[in-house]
Amino acid sequence: MRVQAIGAHPDDIELLCAGTLAKYAQQGHHVTMCYVCNGGLGHVEIMPPELKEVRKQESINSANVIGADFQWLDIDDADVRQSTNEALAGLVDAVRAAQPDVIITHSPNDYMDDHRLVSELVLKASFDATIPHLESEQQNPAQLVPIFHMDTLLGVDFLPEMWVDISETIETKRQMLACHESQYAWLMEHDNIDYIDSMVTVAKYRGLQVGTPYAEGFRQVRVWGRTTTVPLLPTDIARG
């Protein structure tokens, strides 16, 4: 199976679904990690032109931990709304290049505009990518596939309807998130936030909901053409 995770910024995927991606990879599935924004505004002291290159390499390092393919759309942070057409075109190409059987992306009610817009654009782009006569750099149409929304930041206002047991991959998830050294150091120094510890806390909480040490929660997009009887998450352990 081919799995594509699409996140707004470097480290979003790692925070919210890397345990599941690691489990997919462990089971022999093909994983692609797509980052829409370049992360250039995610620091006080490192200027955007330098930072976005740092964060790109950190994202590559993270994808390499599980042998995932890497996609980088290079949209500026906080600029997805102003760059909607560019982001949409990039996502169409990304979906066509990945040819996924399932897509994981942001919840439409997450805490910031870039996340919410990426969620909306992924739904549109993954449909547009199936249209044979829609021109883009990637000309091979994709298939219409199910989409799963990953958890929100710190699980706020997100009620999972299915969970994946990531107890065996929590350390891999920790390793992937730790690849984003610039973000981790900045948040620790300037905000006194340990976002690796926060990630583990959320994974424990989701695990408690379903009786396992660590878990990640998801909701499926329920519209025509996106639903299936085939279980697509890796051995999800409970359903709401």
Side-chain angles (χ1 to χ4, degrees), residues 13 21 34 52 58 69 91 109 131 134 137 140 149 203 213:
I13 293 171
L21 297 185
C34 175
K52 72 177 188 176
E58 290 171 345
D69 284 351
L91 283 167
N109 68 329
I131 302 172
L134 187 140
E137 290 185 13
N140 262 350
H149 290 146

Side-chain angles (χ1 to χ4, degrees), residues 99-174:
Q99 292 289 317
D101 298 302
V102 60
I103 295 172
I104 297 173
T105 193
H106 288 286
S107 170
N109 68 329
D110 209 347
Y111 80 110
M112 69 172 299
D113 200 38
D114 285 348
H115 291 203
R116 295 191 297 269
L117 285 167
V118 165
S119 180
E120 179 183 334
L121 288 172
V122 167
L123 185 64
K124 176 169 172 52
S126 61
F127 182 88
D128 291 355
T130 70
I131 302 172
H133 295 297
L134 187 140
E135 293 188 6
S136 73
E137 290 185 13
Q138 297 283 335
Q139 285 301 301
N140 262 350
Q143 299 298 311
L144 193 65
V145 300
I147 296 175
F148 290 92
H149 290 146
M150 55 194 178
D151 219 332
T152 60
L153 189 68
L154 299 181
V156 175
D157 196 26
F158 187 88
L159 181 63
E161 61 182 14
M162 51 193 75
W163 292 256
V164 174
D165 182 353
I166 62 163
S167 302
E168 293 181 0
T169 57
I170 185 67
E171 290 308 316
T172 304
K173 179 180 170 84
R174 190 196 300 266

Side-chain angles (χ1 to χ4, degrees), residues 174-239:
R174 190 196 300 266
Q175 183 183 352
M176 292 170 73
L177 190 54
C179 287
H180 295 273
E181 297 176 21
S182 63
Q183 190 76 350
Y184 181 74
W186 172 56
L187 288 170
M188 281 292 289
E189 181 179 348
H190 292 275
D191 300 288
N192 199 30
I193 295 171
D194 184 334
Y195 81 160
I196 293 179
D197 181 67
S198 297
M199 174 276 290
V200 172
T201 298
V202 173
K204 283 182 179 178
Y205 173 61
R206 293 303 185 204
L208 281 169
Q209 292 178 324
V210 287
T212 192
Y214 300 97
E216 289 173 341
F218 299 89
R219 295 185 64 85
Q220 187 173 359
V221 173
R222 305 241 178 238
V223 296
W224 178 85
R226 307 288 187 165
T227 54
T228 176
T229 59
V230 178
L232 292 170
L233 290 174
T235 58
D236 58 293
I237 59 173
R239 293 176 182 269

Side-chain angles (χ1 to χ4, degrees), residues 81-96:
R81 187 172 295 280
Q82 288 73 27
S83 303
T84 296
N85 290 338
E86 181 185 353
L88 181 60
L91 283 167
V92 169
D93 282 330
V95 171
R96 284 181 167 180

Side-chain angles (χ1 to χ4, degrees), residues 39-55:
L41 298 182
H43 209 281
V44 172
E45 296 165 1
I46 306 175
M47 293 297 101
E50 177 186 355
L51 182 61
K52 72 177 188 176
E53 295 305 319
V54 169
R55 301 203 70 190

